[in-house]
């Protein structure tokens, strides 16, 4: 099953990655905080965080970035998205 992983600078300003699952409650989505406001997590850090959460990037998928702005005078927040799947155990792929 394919899920969407997202990396964002949260409302606290810290970078985090989370996986949107079938759970209707975002509180139940797997997440990892990078516990910093800058710099943005590197590709290697994002990949390692997803692995820790039990997910891997779908073959051929690349990060897509979106700028989130509530008002032209507000600080800009960024959201990155990529398709992921649970890491298969053994030969379950």
């Amino acid at each position: 099953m394919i899920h969407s992983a997202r990396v964002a600078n949260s409302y606290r300003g810290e970078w985090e990655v989370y996986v949107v699952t079938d759970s209707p409650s975002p509180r139940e989505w797997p997440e990892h905080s990078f516990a910093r406001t800058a710099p943005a997590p590197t590709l290697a850090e994002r990949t390692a965080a997803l692995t820790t959460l039990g997910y891997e990037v779908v073959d051929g998928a690349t990060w897509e970035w979106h700028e989130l702005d509530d008002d032209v005078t507000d600080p800009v927040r960024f959201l990155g998205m990529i398709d992921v799947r649970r890491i298969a155990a053994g030969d379950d792929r």
Side-chain angles (χ1 to χ4, degrees):
M1 175 178 288
I2 304 297
H3 299 284
S4 177
R6 299 180 182 170
V7 65
N9 52 349
S10 68
Y11 287 103
R12 295 184 311 263
E14 293 181 349
W15 286 98
E16 62 187 4
V17 65
Y18 57 94
V19 178
V20 180
T21 65
D22 295 335
S23 173
S25 174
R27 291 184 201 142
E28 296 178 15
W29 295 345
E31 65 180 46
H32 170 82
S33 174
F34 293 97
R36 67 175 190 251
T37 58
T42 65
L43 178 58
E45 289 174 313
R46 288 177 264 147
T47 301
L50 288 169
T51 300
T52 298
L53 296 174
Y55 290 85
E56 63 186 358
V57 174
V58 172
D59 294 336
T62 58
W63 286 94
E64 295 179 26
W65 289 91
H66 299 274
E67 184 176 307
L68 307 173
D69 54 354
D70 299 322
D71 184 291
V72 295
T73 59
D74 286 343
V76 174
R77 293 179 296 118
F78 291 98
L79 173 70
M81 296 180 287
I82 197 164
D83 287 339
V84 297
R85 65 178 166 239
R86 293 279 306 159
I87 295 173
D91 293 326
D92 291 349
R93 276 194 180 180

